[in-house]
Amino acid sequence: MIRYLRAFAGVGLVLVLGAMLLATIYFTLLDLQWVAFLAGVLFAAVSAIASQTSRAQWLVLRRTRQLQRIKELLAEESQRLKHAGQALKHANERFQFINDALPVMIVFADREERCRYHNHAFAKWSRYGGQINGELLRDVVGSEFYNELKSKLAGVFAGAETRYEVRLEQPYGGMANCAVTLLPFPPAVQDPEGFYALIADAANVAPQALHPRDELMRALKEDQFILFTQAIQSLAPAPDLQLVEVLLRLKEEEQYMIPPGSFFPVAERYNLMPEIDRWVVRNLIRWAGEKQRSDPAWRMPVYCVNLAGASLSDPEFALYVKRELQTHKFPGEHLCFEIAEPDVVNQHAAVRAYITVMQPLGCRFALDNFGSTQASFAPLKGLKLNFLKIDGVIIQNLLTGPDDLSRVREIVAISRRMGMRTVAEFVESDATVVKLRETGVDYAQGFGISRPGPIA
């Protein structure tokens, strides 16, 4: 609004000065001094208006481009929503198909013991003459089955999974032994909102396997994990640090060719990541100590260890790592903790507290997956980091995308000003290595450099 008032004021000033010039010419009989003075003032006013007009045109052009970009982004978002809606529709169709075909009876009841979900097999077995959802479980399944189930619910609503067998009348007639599994939902919480009941013919139920959480706990207790490492290559002519990243595998992953890291979602769901991170730190320190004692000439690299967000928010984790370092006299400068960019954004205070405890011991820190979300340096304010790992999403397009190449150059320049060395992730070719050297990246990591293998 003020900008428009200034423009109108400039036009009005020109008109006034023009009128004064004409009046001066008329009343002073063309006095040259007055005419020259007012002509100069008029010229200055016209120049000012021209400048304001040019700026207004530039602003209009800029706003037009911004609006066009917003329209493009809205169109892209609309297309993504359309695809997401189609994917959701197909997923629901697949779920409904499985839901109708599954022979196991499934029903979900809330804490008020009202049915909120059931599949076709359960509806067929119950023979309930009406709408099942919203009805009391007692009315749907009958008193005999309900009384047996009711005796188990106290434990289920306390978060405990329960399995038992019961004889039930079958839809085709006769009685059969059925295996009943009661699963609290959500899992691993003290106050679940309800439970799933899975009812199957006991003769067709496989021997009971361990719960995924129990399997991971057993793997931790029995040392069923394996430490792997992946070399990180320095791109400098005379490197002063040798870096390797520490990775984790389950023995059964190696035995049965299961994709690596398949246990991480289970560990995150049941809040076992702090225990797994403790296992990694403990066993890495002990392995390196034994290696050093058996081979005094061995030059220990800097081990880069990924930390989970749950470990960062656990105040006991930092104290545990500190005790391990001090107990085994492990040099902290050979330990670098990698912290994912989303954890730095979402748990900034916890990250800063952990760095404050560990850095005096010599430990180094790296920001992992930089650029995977926002590629902003703002969240790094107040954090003393040694390395910044550029996410593979950017690196993989380095040879074909000029925008990504410019982003890498900018990231390298800003990182150096902040005292951080850069590491490129997902490097898969020699051509990418050459381009990374040109941009000034300090280290490269990926299958094009080295494949992970057992720690050695």
Side-chain angles (χ1 to χ4, degrees):
M1 183 67 181
I2 295 176
R3 187 167 64 247
Y4 296 132
L5 290 176
R6 288 176 178 174
F8 286 128
V11 173
L13 179 61
V14 170
L15 294 176
V16 171
L17 290 174
M20 291 176 63
L21 179 60
L22 293 174
T24 301
I25 293 173
Y26 179 78
F27 289 108
T28 61
L29 300 177
L30 298 177
D31 187 316
L32 293 180
Q33 290 184 345
W34 277 102
V35 171
F37 170 73
L38 291 175
V41 174
L42 181 62
F43 176 77
V46 171
S47 298
I49 290 176
S51 175
Q52 288 181 354
T53 303
S54 176
R55 177 173 174 79
Q57 291 175 342
W58 177 80
L59 288 172
V60 168
L61 180 62
R62 181 182 175 186
R63 294 290 187 268
T64 302
R65 289 175 178 173
Q66 289 177 342
L67 288 173
Q68 183 63 32
R69 180 56 181 160
I70 291 172
K71 287 176 64 178
E72 292 173 357
L73 291 174
L74 285 174
E76 292 174 3
E77 186 65 24
S78 176
Q79 195 66 20
R80 281 195 293 268
L81 287 174
K82 181 180 178 181
H83 290 324
Q86 293 173 344
L88 181 61
K89 179 183 177 182
H90 293 323
N92 286 335
E93 290 173 350
R94 289 194 296 269
F95 174 76
Q96 190 62 46
F97 175 78
I98 295 173
N99 182 63
D100 293 339
L102 197 65
V104 176
M105 296 179 281
I106 304 174
V107 61
F108 176 78
D110 59 21
R111 297 189 72 89
E112 296 179 354
E113 300 179 15
R114 290 189 179 275
C115 300
R116 298 302 178 187
Y117 162 80
H118 66 281
N119 68 347
H120 179 73
F122 179 81
K124 183 177 179 181
W125 169 81
S126 69
R127 301 181 189 176
Y128 188 74
Q131 175 68 29
I132 293 178
N133 288 347
E135 297 298 322
L136 289 171
L137 189 61
R138 178 185 63 246
D139 297 335
V140 176
V141 301
S143 59
E144 185 175 352
F145 180 32
Y146 173 77
N147 290 336
E148 180 73 18
L149 184 147
K150 178 67 174 179
S151 64
K152 319 289 185 185
L153 290 186
V156 173
F157 285 133
E161 294 184 8
T162 303
R163 292 176 173 83
Y164 66 96
E165 289 192 10
V166 65
R167 286 186 63 80
L168 294 176
E169 184 179 357
Q170 300 302 300
Y172 50 80
M175 303 291 289
N177 288 335
C178 290
V180 181
T181 302
L182 305 179
L183 302 174
F185 185 84
V189 299
Q190 294 181 348
D191 191 24
E193 64 186 43
F195 67 93
Y196 281 94
L198 281 61
I199 309 163
D201 188 341
N204 297 327
V205 176
Q208 180 177 334
L210 281 177
H211 187 277
R213 182 184 185 280
D214 296 332
E215 287 183 355
L216 278 184
M217 292 298 294
R218 184 180 68 178
L220 286 167
K221 184 178 180 180
E222 299 178 0
D223 288 332
Q224 293 293 314
F225 290 99
I226 309 171
L227 290 177
F228 272 50
T229 56
Q230 184 180 31
I232 302 175
Q233 178 183 322
S234 173
L235 302 183
D240 59 332
L241 288 177
Q242 178 188 359
L243 305 180
V244 295
E245 180 167 355
V246 179
L247 305 170
L248 194 62
R249 301 285 188 269
L250 260 177
K251 288 183 179 179
E252 72 172 21
E253 290 178 343
E254 298 303 306
Q255 293 171 351
Y256 301 109
M257 303 296 290
I258 301 173
S262 58
F263 59 89
F264 282 121
V266 176
E268 291 171 351
R269 185 185 313 143
Y270 294 102
N271 197 31
L272 291 177
M273 285 307 301
E275 289 301 319
I276 291 178
D277 284 348
R278 282 178 170 86
W279 190 97
V280 171
V281 170
R282 179 174 66 251
N283 285 273
L284 173 63
I285 289 175
R286 291 177 182 176
W287 182 91
E290 293 172 0
K291 177 75 173 179
Q292 189 76 76
R293 286 189 292 272
S294 64
D295 184 7
W298 175 62
R299 183 185 176 190
M300 187 186 301
V302 176
Y303 290 105
C304 299
V305 177
N306 291 276
L307 284 188
S311 300
L312 293 166
S313 59
D314 180 1
E316 296 297 321
F317 181 79
L319 300 178
Y320 176 84
V321 176
K322 185 176 180 180
R323 283 196 303 270
E324 287 291 313
L325 292 175
Q326 294 172 341
T327 300
H328 297 279
K329 296 180 172 57
F330 186 89
E333 61 269 19
H334 288 279
L335 199 56
C336 176
F337 293 104
E338 294 190 12
I339 304 173
E341 182 185 38
D343 291 328
V344 171
V345 174
N346 299 326
Q347 303 187 65
H348 193 274
V351 170
R352 185 168 54 189
Y354 185 80
I355 293 176
T356 301
V357 173
M358 302 308 301
Q359 246 171 2
L361 300 175
C363 295
R364 308 172 198 259
F365 288 88
L367 178 69
D368 196 14
N369 307 124
F370 183 79
S372 61
T373 54
Q374 56 183 354
S376 171
F377 285 87
L380 307 188
K381 186 177 182 180
L383 302 180
K384 296 180 180 179
L385 301 174
N386 305 93
F387 301 95
L388 183 143
K389 303 186 76 172
I390 306 172
D391 192 77
V393 173
I394 301 174
I395 301 302
Q396 288 177 327
N397 298 323
L398 195 64
L399 300 177
T400 57
D403 291 341
D404 288 317
L405 181 61
S406 299
R407 289 176 70 189
V408 170
R409 293 185 190 278
E410 183 180 0
I411 289 170
V412 169
I414 297 175
S415 297
R416 284 183 176 173
R417 289 200 295 270
M418 298 178 67
M420 295 183 293
R421 303 187 192 189
T422 48
V423 181
E425 299 181 297
F426 289 87
V427 178
E428 298 179 352
S429 68
D430 293 337
T432 303
V433 173
V434 172
K435 186 63 68 174
L436 290 171
R437 280 198 173 98
E438 293 176 4
T439 60
V441 172
D442 299 293
Y443 292 89
Q445 178 183 4
F447 282 4
I449 303 296
S450 170
R451 288 184 173 271
I455 191 169

